[in-house]
Amino acid sequence: MQTINLAEKLAMIDQPWQPKIIAELNDSYVKLAKLKGEFIWHQHQNEDELFLVIKGTLTIRLRDRNVLLHEGELAVIPKGVEHCPDAPQEAQVLLLEPKTTVNTGDQQNSLTIQPEWI
Amino acid sequence: MQTINLAEKLAMIDQPWQPKIIAELNDSYVKLAKLKGEFIWHQHQNEDELFLVIKGTLTIRLRDRNVLLHEGELAVIPKGVEHCPDAPQEAQVLLLEPKTTVNTGDQQNSLTIQPEWI
């Protein structure tokens, strides 16, 4: 058990769209990521996913509307809901999701990663 | 699905040691709480618990040492580990824990609450 400093961990991330694991609890991972530009449309069939913006602004595009998140704001994307994160300027976010969650959800492609601990 | 602003939600909390639910995902609740003074020693038999400090400073006393958390820092208290949160000055925290988690853990007393949504 240790103190985990979000700013220190974020400083260790240099690539966008590469979430890194910083903690685990129960069946979930807490991850940090830097987001920049538009990601891809995807969904997580069995996992709700939480986005908390630590710095910057994030738009989560849904098929029928957008959810805009500023610093200090969070949203939960329910399982099965298609979404596309979009950050015209870099956004730094904390993610919470089950350990089984794949970053690109039901889309497996070159953006799909195996997250590492930092 | 909605944008949840932590500062706005925290402004709705007036009593310390009364965590309020602001979101749910998978089998867990995200809660916010204001902590002031020393709580009680307790443990959660089956649930890991995450503390993220939004504002202020929190000490989590363990039997063998203390974990000090400043703003922007988090720690996970593993299941079965006795702990006693202590905030000499008010601390505002985000908690993440399974829905089954009772705030006083294995101690049931006048501090035990049934958390409400805000």
Side-chain angles (χ1 to χ4, degrees):
Chain A
M1 191 183 336
Q2 54 181 330
T3 297
I4 296 162
N5 183 292
L6 299 185
E8 287 176 10
K9 293 291 189 185
L10 281 161
M12 299 169 67
I13 300 177
D14 47 14
Q15 294 297 318
W17 305 114
Q18 306 258 330
K20 303 289 186 185
I21 303 166
I22 60 164
E24 63 185 321
L25 71 163
N26 307 301
D27 296 323
S28 294
Y29 283 136
V30 181
K31 298 175 185 171
L32 290 175
K34 291 179 177 173
L35 312 183
K36 186 152 195 319
E38 188 170 303
F39 200 51
I40 55 164
W41 283 97
H42 66 285
Q43 59 172 300
H44 306 284
Q45 205 60 49
N46 302 304
E47 301 108 343
D48 305 328
E49 183 176 34
L50 179 146
F51 291 80
L52 167 62
V53 174
I54 306 298
K55 195 168 181 182
T57 300
L58 172 65
T59 298
I60 302 177
R61 301 197 184 288
L62 307 176
R63 288 299 184 189
D64 62 343
R65 65 194 171 93
N66 293 335
V67 175
L68 180 63
L69 297 178
H70 298 100
E71 190 172 317
E73 293 183 335
L74 65 83
V76 174
I77 310 299
K79 54 177 73 68
V81 172
E82 281 190 293
H83 57 285
C84 177
D86 185 10
Q89 307 299 320
E90 182 183 272
Q92 302 183 356
V93 303
L94 180 149
L95 304 169
L96 178 81
E97 50 199 21
K99 292 181 179 179
T100 50
T101 306
V102 174
N103 66 320
T104 53
D106 57 332
Q107 308 295 315
Q108 302 282 322
N109 58 32
S110 63
L111 295 171
T112 305
I113 62 158
Q114 197 72 23
E116 296 168 355
W117 280 81
I118 54 171
Chain B
M1 193 183 334
Q2 55 181 330
T3 297
I4 297 162
N5 182 292
L6 299 185
E8 286 176 11
K9 293 291 189 185
L10 281 162
M12 298 169 67
I13 299 177
D14 46 15
Q15 295 294 319
W17 307 113
Q18 306 259 329
K20 303 288 186 185
I21 303 166
I22 60 164
E24 63 185 321
L25 72 162
N26 306 302
D27 296 323
S28 295
Y29 282 136
V30 181
K31 299 175 186 172
L32 290 175
K34 291 180 176 171
L35 312 183
K36 187 154 197 314
E38 188 171 303
F39 200 51
I40 56 164
W41 283 96
H42 66 285
Q43 60 173 298
H44 306 283
Q45 203 62 47
N46 302 306
E47 300 108 344
D48 304 328
E49 182 177 36
L50 179 146
F51 291 79
L52 167 61
V53 174
I54 306 298
K55 195 167 183 184
T57 301
L58 171 66
T59 299
I60 302 177
R61 302 197 183 287
L62 307 175
R63 287 301 185 189
D64 62 342
R65 64 193 173 95
N66 292 335
V67 175
L68 181 63
L69 297 177
H70 298 101
E71 191 173 316
E73 294 182 335
L74 66 83
V76 174
I77 310 299
K79 55 178 73 67
V81 172
E82 281 189 293
H83 58 284
C84 177
D86 185 11
Q89 307 299 321
E90 182 184 273
Q92 301 183 357
V93 303
L94 180 149
L95 304 169
L96 177 81
E97 50 198 21
K99 292 182 180 180
T100 49
T101 306
V102 175
N103 67 319
T104 52
D106 58 332
Q107 308 296 315
Q108 303 281 322
N109 57 32
S110 61
L111 295 171
T112 306
I113 61 157
Q114 195 73 22
E116 296 169 355
W117 281 82
I118 54 172

